[in-house]
Amino acid sequence: MNLASLTIPKTWQLAGLSCICAASAIPLYLLDPAASSVFPACPFRALTGMYCPGCGTLRALHGLLHGNVTGAFMLNPLTVLVLPFIVYAFVSLTTEVMRGRPLPRLFDSPRYTWALFGVIMAFWVLRNIPMYPFNLFKQ
């Protein structure tokens, strides 16, 4: 038996993903990452003093779970802008399990992957520039 040829059925993927999302959302809703020591600090920021593309994501998700979209955007705009696409992918997987076919794929070309990589790298650099308007998106 070749492990590389094994695939996980879509129903198991959906069940696992749903469990992970629920198990993550509950403590994130109940505990504020800014005030709780349960959530780890960013290792990149601890080592360099600079922000990584993910800095502020936990606090942004906590804000979104409490309905604070503006506050979440100020903590990490990239998270808020990418989250609808992640939700679309989850809904597409759910539709595929329920109806047998997924929603139309929006970004199926490698060009989109490279574009996303470029946006993440640009965001990483720009958020560390200590000038207006880049310094608006700090913790």
Side-chain angles (χ1 to χ4, degrees):
M1 178 186 288
N2 183 1
L3 291 178
S5 65
L6 292 177
T7 58
I8 300 172
K10 295 287 184 181
T11 52
W12 285 96
Q13 290 178 22
L14 179 61
L17 191 57
S18 298
C19 289
I20 289 170
C21 288
S24 302
I26 292 169
L28 194 53
Y29 180 82
L30 297 173
L31 302 171
D32 183 1
S36 174
S37 61
V38 172
F39 301 102
C42 174
F44 182 80
R45 178 129 199 270
L47 288 172
T48 65
M50 297 188 308
Y51 299 103
C52 78
C55 279
T57 296
L58 282 177
R59 287 176 286 130
L61 291 174
H62 175 79
L64 286 173
L65 286 171
H66 287 275
N68 185 359
V69 178
T70 305
F73 187 81
M74 294 308 290
L75 288 168
N76 192 318
L78 191 60
T79 297
V80 176
L81 295 174
V82 169
L83 198 57
F85 297 102
I86 294 171
V87 170
Y88 183 86
F90 181 79
V91 170
S92 180
L93 178 60
T94 304
T95 304
E96 185 173 3
V97 168
M98 304 291 258
R99 295 187 178 167
R101 60 178 186 203
L103 297 175
R105 294 187 181 231
L106 298 178
F107 305 104
D108 207 15
S109 167
R111 286 182 280 164
Y112 293 113
T113 305
W114 284 107
L116 178 61
F117 178 73
V119 166
I120 292 170
M121 292 297 108
F123 177 66
W124 193 346
V125 170
L126 294 174
R127 80 180 314 196
N128 285 294
I129 296 175
M131 292 173 32
Y132 181 84
F134 309 114
N135 59 359
L136 291 176
F137 304 109
K138 303 286 188 217
Q139 276 72 19

